[in-house]
Amino acid sequence: MGSSETSPLLVLPADSDTQGPATPEENKEQPADPELKKTLCPYATVGECRYGENCVYLHGDPCDMCGLQVLHPTDTAQRSQHIKSCIEAHEKDMELSFAIQRSKDIVCGICMEVVYEKTNPSERRFGILSNCSHSYCLKCIRRWRSAKQFESKIIKSCPECRITSNFVIPSEYWVEEKEDKHKLIHKYKEAMSNKSCRYFDEGRGTCPFGGNCFYKHAYPDGRIEEPQPRQKGGMSSRYRVRS
């Protein structure tokens, strides 16, 4: 869940990462320091403080989401920020649980194995086709699309419905809903656009995918080569250099 916000001036004891039982001497009330009493106790925010009511630091209010004493009694901004972080973390946990639940029984349409039950853990990934909802493991659909004995139109088509998809998105979870797939595709393209195209090779090579390439076409000096709008008559896209 969300982490607590503590003062940068706070220094934890150097001899231990965790607190042991308090000694009788330590159980005595500690000298009060007005500044320390404004700072959340680092031990109380992660579980339990051995000093209890005698702690020189401030013990926050418990958060209803994570159950830890991380809410500053008087700092409204800190309380709001922590609660927001906790809610976001909770929502992510819920999304992850739903993603795992909908993925665990999905079968690859080529090898006919349950993807999450494959012997090799590295093969427990999906290859999501951009234009249809048939399920395949990443290894199988990539092998299908790299077959040499078929023409490009065939290998770019789904083995089941024959709908063409220009690319495959690797994913740890099965994605089928239209909105979720759009988000996945956007995230995938964004990630690819930050990686240099190995075919373009900083201007030394030629990319066979041209304007359809998701990778970055950049020169050593940082200039970016981008496709110009397609011209009338179906001519291939030409490129222009963007500095």
Side-chain angles (χ1 to χ4, degrees), residues 19 41 43-45 47-53 55-56 59 69:
Q19 289 184 321
C41 173
Y43 295 110
T45 57
E48 184 177 352
C49 173
R50 68 182 180 182
Y51 296 108
E53 296 179 357
C55 183
V56 296
H59 282 202
Q69 292 179 279

Side-chain angles (χ1 to χ4, degrees), residues 17 33 54 58 67 94 97 101 112 122 145 165 184 189:
D17 292 331
D33 185 327
N54 296 325
L58 175 66
M94 291 297 292
S97 297
Q101 185 65 28
M112 304 309 293
S122 66
R145 292 171 70 90
S165 290
L184 180 67
K189 288 183 176 180

Side-chain angles (χ1 to χ4, degrees), residues 24-38:
E25 186 68 25
E26 290 171 332
N27 270 329
K28 294 180 181 179
E29 187 172 353
Q30 304 295 310
D33 185 327
E35 290 304 314
L36 289 181
K37 272 299 180 182
K38 297 178 183 179

